[in-house]
Amino acid sequence: MEFKEKYNQWLNIVNAALENMLEEKDNPQKNIYRAMKYSLEAGGKRLRPILTLAVCDSFGQDYKIAMPYACAIEMIHTYSLIHDDLPAMDNDDYRRGKLTNHKVFGEAMAILAGNALLNYAFEIMHQDMLKNKEFLERKIKAACIISNASGVSGMIGGQVIDIESQNKEMTLELVEYMHSKKTGALIKAPVLAAAVLCDARTDEMKYLEQYAEKIGLAFQIKDDILDFEGDFKVMGKLSGNDAANNKQTFVTLYGLDKAREILYKTASEALKYISKLNFESHFLEELVDYIVTRDK
Ligand code: GRG
């Protein structure tokens, strides 16, 4: 099956699972379900849950064992986007081709919808542990990886550095560190959580971690390039926002050509690590090319 076809197949599986997990309810707090569903079902590439399922598949395991963890990661990612778009953070009007959550539901509800998605992510993982106690320790480990990646040592930590360094000079090391946390952590977590669920060996974990770090970095460099030159119609959000917010990006630090060069080098390193694994890695290899060539 061609990569695009396979990607879309995973995308449909993830979208169906997410829709099933989050039902609207007719209770006095019903508006929060609408706000949560609005952002969760607004589209999105679903890269993180697809990575989770694809790693499981590469190990020859049934992807369904990883579904609650894959969906939890997407909920955490969506919460982070809702909060990142708030006036107190990046103050964006568009996301995933639609008005941002706070533009539709108001700031207070957007904060709550983000919090609720974060809570729900953990509820889903715990429900899975209670429902099926097989491999319980692996499931707990996967949930720990996801918690750690979303928190102060991961995504939130990166966001703190981002906010505190606006309008300030940053060293290259700090920019890379910030991105490895803010974006990288939630790209590494799906790969490692899936590997743990599949009982990967230590050497397999090591190569997958190196692969995930490289695709996380490549994803961020590409994101910076797209923010610089992307098209609103394709991307579903305004470009040039980093510059407007005085943010240091790979493009502002290196210039467009050098940023592209680093992107290609990082992608080839990701391919080197994945090739060390003795499993069906075709999709994970092609995913590297997708990250480099994506237009949104
Ligand atoms: C507010 C706690 C908190 C954290 C925010 C992830 C993040 C931290 C902010 C998002 C800002 C941003 C544009 C980061 C760059 C990389 C990134 C995460 C892009 C968005 O992810 P995609 O492209 O989005 O996977 P879709 O919509 O496809 O899911």
Side-chain angles (χ1 to χ4, degrees):
M1 196 187 290
E2 266 199 26
F3 172 79
K4 195 87 201 124
E5 203 182 329
K6 185 70 195 166
Y7 192 98
N8 285 334
Q9 202 178 63
W10 284 129
L11 186 86
N12 292 334
I13 289 170
V14 168
N15 283 341
L18 286 169
E19 254 186 79
N20 261 337
M21 278 178 196
L22 195 61
E23 282 170 34
E24 279 195 48
K25 293 201 176 141
D26 189 17
N27 55 21
Q29 68 271 34
K30 59 177 176 273
N31 272 345
I32 187 87
Y33 300 102
R34 284 183 46 231
M36 290 161 81
K37 279 176 92 63
Y38 175 81
S39 291
L40 192 64
E41 292 169 15
K45 297 179 285 299
R46 310 304 196 202
L47 174 70
R48 296 151 193 83
I50 289 176
L51 261 174
T52 320
L53 305 182
V55 169
C56 254
D57 195 49
S58 285
F59 274 108
Q61 301 268 345
D62 184 352
Y63 71 84
K64 291 191 192 77
I65 61 162
M67 190 57 94
Y69 305 84
C71 289
I73 293 168
E74 186 64 19
M75 286 180 193
I76 295 170
H77 169 60
T78 304
Y79 119 73
S80 82
L81 299 180
I82 295 174
H83 282 194
D84 188 65
D85 291 334
L86 286 166
M89 300 229 191
D90 266 6
N91 195 16
D92 276 311
D93 290 351
Y94 292 96
R95 169 74 64 183
R96 292 176 165 172
K98 296 170 83 173
L99 283 170
T100 43
N101 200 288
H102 64 275
K103 285 273 157 193
V104 178
F105 297 96
E107 268 182 63
M109 189 60 87
I111 292 169
L112 291 170
N115 292 348
L117 282 168
L118 176 62
N119 276 325
Y120 198 41
F122 287 92
E123 188 179 332
I124 282 167
M125 291 189 283
H126 283 102
Q127 270 171 0
D128 178 62
M129 293 172 207
L130 284 173
K131 204 162 63 195
N132 183 352
K133 298 197 178 59
E134 208 184 352
F135 315 128
L136 187 58
E137 194 175 329
R138 291 189 214 164
K139 291 177 176 183
I140 295 171
K141 278 188 189 161
C144 274
I145 288 171
I146 295 166
S147 317
N148 182 269
S150 331
V152 284
S153 347
M155 182 181 72
I156 290 182
Q159 182 76 350
V160 170
I161 300 169
D162 192 5
I163 283 169
E164 293 196 332
S165 45
Q166 271 170 42
N167 303 315
K168 286 191 192 143
E169 283 294 310
M170 282 174 90
T171 63
L172 203 55
E173 287 73 32
L174 188 59
V175 174
E176 288 196 9
Y177 179 82
M178 175 187 79
H179 289 312
S180 75
K181 301 289 171 192
K182 188 180 139 178
T183 312
L186 219 58
I187 291 186
K188 190 152 88 171
V191 174
L192 294 187
V196 159
L197 287 170
C198 295
D199 207 18
R201 295 191 313 260
T202 315
D203 61 321
E204 291 171 327
M205 287 295 284
K206 188 182 85 187
Y207 293 134
L208 280 170
E209 183 169 14
Q210 286 165 322
Y211 164 79
E213 280 170 3
K214 294 298 172 190
I215 61 167
L217 177 61
F219 184 87
Q220 182 60 54
I221 300 172
K222 183 69 186 188
D223 209 72
D224 290 350
I225 294 174
L226 286 172
D227 186 81
F228 184 75
E229 56 175 23
D231 179 347
F232 175 81
K233 277 206 196 99
V234 183
M235 294 202 5
K237 60 178 183 167
L238 295 170
S239 51
N241 218 39
D242 291 338
N245 286 335
N246 284 324
K247 286 194 179 184
Q248 304 265 24
T249 73
F250 283 97
V251 175
T252 59
L253 279 167
Y254 288 107
L256 197 53
D257 289 345
K258 181 82 181 157
R260 280 210 188 96
E261 200 183 296
I262 303 171
L263 172 65
Y264 300 139
K265 183 167 168 278
T266 309
S268 73
E269 285 166 348
L271 288 174
K272 183 183 78 189
Y273 291 123
I274 202 72
S275 73
K276 289 181 194 278
L277 281 144
N278 197 12
F279 68 10
E280 174 41 59
S281 59
H282 205 62
F283 182 83
L284 295 174
E285 279 163 31
E286 294 203 79
L287 196 70
V288 177
D289 186 52
Y290 165 74
I291 287 171
V292 171
T293 57
R294 70 194 173 97
D295 54 9
K296 63 175 181 176

